[in-house]
Amino acid sequence: MRARSLTGRRELLDAARAELKARPGVLFHGPLGIGKSMLVASLTASLAAHAPSVGTVLHCAPAEEDAGLPFGGLVDLFARVPESRLETLAPEPRVALRAALLRGPEPADGRSRLAVRVAVLDVLRALAATGPVALVLDGLQWLDEPTAEVLAFAVRRLGGLDIRVVAAERVADGEQPGRLRCCPPGTTELPVPPLTDDEVADLVRARIGADLPPGVLRAIQDTAAGNPLYALELGRAMALRSPERRGLGPALPVPRRLRALLLDEVRTLPETAQRTLLLASAAARPDLTLLRAAGLPGPATDLAEAERLGVATTDAGGAVRFRHPLLRAAVYADAPENDRRQAHALLARAVTEPVERARHLAHARPHEDEDTARTLMSAAESARRDGALGAACELAGLAARRTPGDRPADRADRLLAAAEYACDAGQREEAAEAAEAVLAESDSARRRVRARLVLLRNAGQALEGAHALIQEGLRDAVGDPGAEAPLHHWAAVRGLLCGELEEATRQARHAVRQAAVAGDTETRIGALATLARVRSLAGDPVAAEAALVEALALAGGADGGPQSWRLIRMRAILALDSDMVTEAEEQVVQLLPVMEELASVEEVMATLVALARIQVRAGHCREALHTAARCSRAMTQAAPALYAAALAATAGGTAAEARRLAEQAVRASEADGDRLFLLRALAVLGQAGLLAGDPRGAASAVEALQRVRELGTAMCAADPPLLHWYGDLAEALVLLGETEEAGAVVREAHARVGDDTPGSVLAALERAEGLREAGTGRAKEGAARLRAAVNRLRQLPLPVELVRTLIALGAVERRSRRRSAARTVLAEALETATRIGAAPLAARAREELSRLDAGDRSGETGAGGPELTPTEARVAELVGGGATNREVAAKLFISVKTVEGTLSRVYRKVGVRSRTALAHAMAAAVLASGAAVDSGDDCLVDPPERAVLVSRPSRAQPRRTLDTRR
């Protein structure tokens, strides 16, 4: 069985395999095409693969036409049972069984029914005596009744025998199996569920081998409703269609073979009932009132016939629902084209809602007609105003197709509207198709510019390669400020994402000027918003605020509607960067509901990402995870969504999850050429490494954060988040023992600090400086800097940053033997982290407290010098074990130079001068550890080090000794 056949079924197959080890049988059940036979075949193959000693497999798979053939299933089951097995039976059962199997004449005494049952039972017992037996019954619903009775008799009497039953039965959705009696008592019933939409997409791509457009794939997912057979049949049919014939109507075209499976009985209904079903299948929301308004005299009676066949039902309110979406599509596809047009014409007169009426009108008149096109375009604009972006795109596309050939300008305008609506709805392929059609057909420079603007929007974050598209547009737009302004704005956006901040500033200001000349307020507002974003990133908050104020005035203030939404979000981000977290959250929370209802997918995504950033800093870690999940649903693999998910995971998830998501965000940003989100994704990757708290995590953090530093320098970026990330880099370097380099990073960051630098940035740098001081043996000075950072953060609504700093302070105090002070700050860190849902930081706080408790249990006092850092202890362990500096560097993912510097500090702290002396000291640590254990004390150490080296002066002479205790 090919692996791809098991899409979405591996967990169910594993469950069935486990059940079959403990139970006498497994019965899969579900509707037609759900994948029961595939599971039966896979489970049977698995039995053979995992238990080669299976002696006999008896198999039957009856079809519908076999149901009336007595003992047809038994003949199939016993096809592999040799005649010699039957010869061992008693005479009467043998004769009866041979007759049932058509191998001999039927007995004349009429006792064959019981004799056949006894014979089958005896044969199964005999087979089980020589090895395991598997009965495979695929299609119990079509098993003939005589065979079903024989099996029901036999399986009740197989207890204690090594016989397993693997069966499948077709049942309607929500129904229970009717042939469970054919399986032994204790058989596990396993309903086969529908596939998810993602699993359907994976199955279609793998099995069809064609790259279907997203709109077609969505229609297949909706129509198949998780049924793999339906999805594959629909996918194959659409793959065979030429691209121009893939346009979707009211229902997905259903291939003839699939219609034959579903509509055999429907085609026997009276003509009036079939007509009623056709109108119901063509309507968006069919009910009895609508069907009567469309001129049907007795729809309730007709639908009662359909309900009897299990095709459709009518609820108490009169709404009509098909039992499965594919039935609706099949009924529609099975009707002649002329009947479908008449149905839409009747519905167009009956419905009152403009959008649905226009859609029916378009399908009733599938030819070029300007009146129809105008009606469709009006409905599309109405749908857009109501926020129904998908419907607006569909209707505008229909309007373009209905536009007469002698009106090319109208057709181009309608195609452009369809493209813009598709962009708003996040339907990129549909948007690109419509825009490309305009570029191919239109000779109007303005329309060609509009088409290129759609393609620029369509590129999302991947604007690095859009330079040629912008330049081609500018050549078309030359001399037309109204056309040039939006193109210069896109050049500014491209410069922002690609890290070309000076070019972005120049293009944004050019766009503002040209938009003012052209009287294009919308583009002017957008360009000012981009200018504010660029200047903020460049560390120029005054210019950023001035651009925002000007843009808001043009938009009519904060209540200016859609034009003000982006500005409000930008103002919230500026507030966030200035540590005004509460104000930022209030603005975005109030903005999001209206945006979700009316704004484009890109704008909603940007607002959700902003909210996730705010929630993480505000310490709303659980809410941040929820917001990140909403981002992922909006744009699954987009870099901003992955960044938001990674950021939320650093706050409320796990370090491993944050690292995995951040790596994906880095790859997505690199693929897009989006340096702005690459900066953010790398910063989160660095934070995830710091959360790990070990040399390997610190090494990965340094690697990521060094790239942030280099990118930020190349971009001339100087916004507050970048200085936060400098602090993270310094911390990671301290963890690796590279204290000199950490000091250089901190000094570089301080050179960028100004009078308006937010307090959180200063606290982050103080935290890094404190850890660096402690790492160089100046624990008292380090603790003082960390306490200053804590005091600063207590004045700010930034609980996550406060917890990070409390943990750092607690670790330094613990290593300095100030246990009471350490316990106080670590307890506060744990309480705060737990309350806000900061799971990774709560884990770090617990770890530090456990080390503190371990030191208490070992009887350690406050005397003694400083401990080795985790990196120093690990280097000491490896060098003491005989590793070379190069081997240590490779093991710990650090440089040889760092190993040399760390080893010098270890020599100084331990009081030795050579690798040999260090090896002796490490050996003494092991002996001391053993003595501690022998004496009943715990030898408690910080992972990953196995020994803790502490300076202890002797009264007799100044020398260093080794202590393995915490």
Side-chain angles (χ1 to χ4, degrees):
M1 180 63 58
R2 289 178 294 184
R4 67 183 186 180
S5 304
L6 296 174
T7 301
R9 298 299 188 217
R10 292 193 178 278
E11 288 187 11
L12 183 58
L13 185 61
D14 290 343
R17 191 182 294 123
E19 288 293 328
L20 207 54
K21 289 180 180 178
R23 302 279 185 170
V26 165
L27 171 59
F28 297 106
H29 62 89
L32 167 70
I34 201 67
K36 304 178 297 298
S37 294
M38 179 273 295
L39 285 164
V40 167
S42 297
L43 185 55
T44 305
S46 176
L47 284 176
H50 291 85
S53 60
V54 171
T56 307
V57 177
L58 305 182
H59 182 277
C60 74
E64 183 175 4
E65 53 269 26
D66 301 332
L69 301 176
F71 293 118
L74 196 61
V75 169
D76 289 341
L77 277 173
F78 273 65
R80 296 181 60 188
V81 177
E83 186 69 24
S84 59
R85 285 291 182 192
L86 305 188
E87 294 301 327
T88 62
L89 296 171
E92 188 173 343
R94 182 178 70 248
V95 171
L97 180 56
R98 293 186 79 254
L101 298 177
L102 302 180
R103 300 182 190 179
E106 188 170 348
D109 59 10
R111 294 193 295 171
S112 62
R113 289 182 62 194
L114 178 59
V116 171
R117 289 162 172 70
V118 171
V120 168
L121 179 59
D122 286 346
V123 170
L124 292 175
R125 284 171 172 163
L127 291 171
T130 63
V133 177
L135 292 179
V136 181
L137 313 171
D138 186 10
L140 282 179
Q141 73 279 3
W142 304 129
L143 192 65
D144 62 276
E145 190 57 32
T147 300
E149 291 174 358
V150 168
L151 286 174
F153 175 88
V155 296
R156 294 197 304 271
R157 294 164 173 81
L158 295 177
L161 298 178
D162 194 358
I163 297 178
R164 294 289 183 269
V165 173
V166 178
E169 182 178 351
R170 182 192 301 177
V171 298
D173 284 323
E175 297 294 329
Q176 294 298 314
R179 288 287 181 85
L180 184 60
R181 61 192 173 94
C182 298
C183 302
T187 290
T188 298
E189 301 175 58
L190 292 176
V192 183
L195 299 178
T196 65
D197 280 351
D198 287 343
E199 289 165 350
V200 167
D202 291 343
L203 179 69
V204 169
R205 291 190 192 103
R207 298 291 294 275
I208 303 302
D211 192 13
L212 296 174
V216 172
L217 190 55
R218 283 194 299 271
I220 290 173
Q221 291 167 331
D222 292 342
T223 306
N227 187 298
L229 172 67
Y230 298 168
L232 289 173
E233 289 290 324
L234 292 168
R236 290 189 185 104
M238 294 305 290
L240 292 173
R241 287 186 162 219
S242 59
E244 60 270 14
R245 293 184 62 239
R246 285 179 181 168
L248 304 177
L252 194 69
V254 180
R256 185 178 293 108
R257 181 169 57 181
L258 205 48
R259 298 205 304 266
L261 275 174
L262 297 167
L263 302 179
D264 189 37
E265 291 184 295
V266 172
R267 291 166 177 169
T268 67
L269 288 172
E271 185 178 336
T272 56
Q274 292 193 48
R275 189 183 186 207
T276 297
L277 280 175
L278 172 58
L279 261 72
S281 71
R285 291 172 295 279
D287 59 29
L288 294 177
T289 301
L290 174 63
L291 295 176
R292 292 190 191 99
L296 299 182
T301 303
D302 295 335
L303 288 168
E305 288 291 307
E307 186 165 0
R308 179 178 59 80
L309 298 180
V311 177
T313 61
T314 307
D315 64 20
V320 179
R321 292 184 177 83
F322 285 86
R323 184 169 54 82
H324 192 282
L326 185 63
L327 277 169
R328 171 183 176 268
V331 166
Y332 185 86
D334 207 45
E337 173 65 22
N338 191 54
D339 289 357
R340 294 203 294 264
R341 291 185 193 178
Q342 289 180 5
H344 285 296
L346 291 172
L347 290 167
R349 290 196 293 269
V351 299
T352 56
E353 201 276 320
V355 171
E356 188 174 353
R357 181 178 178 277
R359 188 183 283 118
H360 286 306
L361 188 63
H363 294 301
R365 303 174 186 172
H367 50 266
E368 293 180 355
D369 178 76
E370 180 58 20
D371 288 341
T372 303
R374 276 198 296 267
T375 301
L376 285 165
M377 203 59 226
S378 176
E381 291 160 0
S382 175
R384 174 66 184 90
R385 286 192 297 272
D386 293 340
L389 303 176
C393 170
E394 176 200 352
L395 291 167
L398 282 171
R401 288 196 288 276
R402 298 296 183 267
T403 302
D406 60 356
R407 304 176 72 93
D410 290 333
R411 170 177 159 79
D413 286 340
R414 289 159 186 168
L415 277 171
L416 285 168
E420 289 162 353
Y421 297 157
C423 249
D424 289 343
Q427 298 174 3
R428 294 187 176 184
E429 286 74 11
E430 291 89 336
E433 183 180 349
E436 294 285 2
V438 173
L439 285 176
E441 299 171 8
S442 179
D443 58 2
S444 163
R446 272 227 163 192
R447 292 188 180 94
R448 292 169 64 82
V449 167
R450 277 183 66 190
R452 287 194 173 91
L453 292 174
V454 168
L455 294 174
L456 287 166
R457 279 187 62 195
N458 225 25
Q461 305 294 118
L463 286 174
E464 187 173 31
H467 180 73
L469 191 62
I470 294 170
Q471 292 306 310
E472 289 164 4
L474 286 171
R475 281 194 292 272
D476 271 339
V478 66
D480 182 350
E484 288 182 328
L487 288 164
H488 284 293
H489 180 206
W490 273 105
V493 173
R494 179 187 174 279
L496 170 65
L497 295 182
C498 294
E500 301 164 2
L501 300 190
E502 291 306 316
E503 173 67 6
T505 299
R506 186 179 70 81
Q507 293 283 1
R509 286 174 173 156
H510 197 170
V512 170
R513 289 193 297 271
Q514 288 191 305
V517 171
D520 182 354
T521 304
E522 183 176 352
T523 298
R524 188 176 169 194
I525 291 170
L528 284 165
T530 299
L531 180 61
R533 198 175 177 197
V534 173
R535 297 322 302 158
S536 171
L537 187 61
D540 188 357
V542 175
E545 179 63 21
L548 272 181
V549 168
E550 183 181 351
L552 274 168
L554 287 169
D559 298 324
Q563 290 186 331
S564 68
W565 294 342
R566 185 185 307 176
L567 308 174
I568 295 170
R569 183 177 67 236
M570 173 61 66
R571 176 158 276 182
I573 292 299
L574 291 178
L576 176 69
D577 290 344
S578 299
D579 296 338
M580 294 185 290
V581 180
T582 304
E583 295 88 332
E585 188 167 27
E586 286 175 357
Q587 291 175 37
V588 174
V589 167
Q590 291 173 8
L591 180 63
L592 187 58
V594 67
M595 290 196 72
E596 286 188 303
E597 183 178 353
L598 297 171
S600 68
V601 171
E602 298 95 333
E603 288 296 323
V604 173
M605 168 65 81
T607 307
L608 285 170
V609 171
L611 180 58
R613 287 180 61 190
I614 292 167
Q615 287 170 331
V616 166
R617 296 203 69 202
H620 301 156
C621 303
R622 301 177 188 90
E623 294 86 344
L625 289 171
H626 176 67
T627 301
R630 292 167 68 186
C631 289
S632 298
R633 287 194 294 272
M635 287 185 176
T636 310
Q637 292 302 313
L642 290 166
Y643 157 74
L647 181 64
T650 64
T654 65
E657 182 185 16
R659 180 184 179 86
R660 177 181 61 82
L661 290 165
E663 287 173 343
Q664 292 180 21
V666 167
R667 289 193 293 271
S669 300
E670 288 173 333
D672 289 344
D674 181 349
R675 289 177 179 81
L676 183 60
F677 268 100
L678 179 58
L679 266 179
R680 295 176 179 176
L682 286 167
V684 176
L685 185 57
Q687 291 168 15
L690 279 172
L691 283 173
D694 56 33
R696 176 172 292 197
S700 70
V702 167
E703 182 181 356
L705 292 166
Q706 286 285 25
R707 287 189 67 189
V708 171
R709 183 186 185 187
E710 292 163 7
L711 278 170
T713 301
M715 292 168 60
C716 300
D719 64 333
L722 191 69
L723 295 182
H724 276 287
W725 302 332
Y726 269 58
D728 289 345
L729 174 57
E731 284 190 39
L733 288 166
V734 169
L735 268 175
L736 287 182
E738 299 189 19
T739 52
E740 290 185 13
E741 175 65 17
V745 170
V746 172
R747 287 192 295 275
E748 182 181 336
H750 272 299
R752 297 174 177 236
V753 167
D755 294 339
D756 55 356
T757 299
S760 62
V761 170
L762 300 175
L765 295 177
E766 284 172 335
R767 181 173 64 232
E769 288 176 300
L771 288 170
R772 179 181 174 277
E773 293 277 17
T776 57
R778 294 162 53 85
K780 183 177 179 181
E781 293 83 352
R785 286 192 179 274
L786 287 166
R787 279 192 290 272
V790 166
N791 291 335
R792 190 186 298 277
L793 288 168
R794 290 194 192 283
Q795 312 304 313
L796 300 171
L798 302 169
V800 171
E801 288 297 306
L802 176 60
V803 170
R804 279 186 65 182
T805 311
L806 287 168
I807 292 172
L809 176 59
V812 169
E813 297 282 37
R814 176 180 65 80
R815 290 186 174 121
S816 301
R817 304 297 188 271
R818 292 171 50 83
R819 297 188 176 282
S820 176
R823 190 176 303 283
T824 298
V825 294
L826 288 173
E828 181 185 353
L830 178 58
E831 186 279 327
T832 305
T834 303
R835 173 170 48 81
I836 66 177
L841 290 176
R844 289 290 306 280
R846 287 191 197 94
E847 182 182 352
E848 285 295 331
L849 281 167
S850 69
R851 290 174 176 176
L852 193 61
D853 293 339
D856 288 347
R857 287 198 299 273
S858 68
E860 204 168 304
T861 67
E867 293 177 342
L868 300 185
T869 68
T871 300
E872 290 169 349
R874 187 71 173 123
V875 168
E877 178 189 0
L878 293 171
V879 169
T884 67
N885 287 4
R886 190 172 299 279
E887 289 169 341
V888 173
K891 181 79 172 177
L892 299 185
F893 300 94
I894 58 180
S895 67
V896 174
K897 181 180 177 182
T898 299
V899 175
E900 293 168 352
T902 303
L903 199 53
S904 297
R905 289 194 301 276
V906 170
Y907 286 169
R908 217 169 35 246
K909 289 183 178 181
V910 179
V912 298
R913 296 184 179 181
S914 69
R915 303 170 79 88
T916 302
L918 181 61
H920 287 310
M922 294 301 297
V926 173
L927 290 174
S929 172
V933 173
D934 289 343
S935 65
D937 293 333
D938 290 333
C939 179
L940 299 163
V941 298
D942 284 2
E945 63 265 41
R946 296 181 186 169
V948 179
L949 304 170
V950 184
S951 303
R952 294 185 185 278
S954 166
R955 293 185 181 182
Q957 55 183 351
R959 68 185 184 92
R960 305 286 185 177
T961 59
L962 197 66
D963 186 71
T964 61
R965 299 171 297 169
R966 269 289 170 219

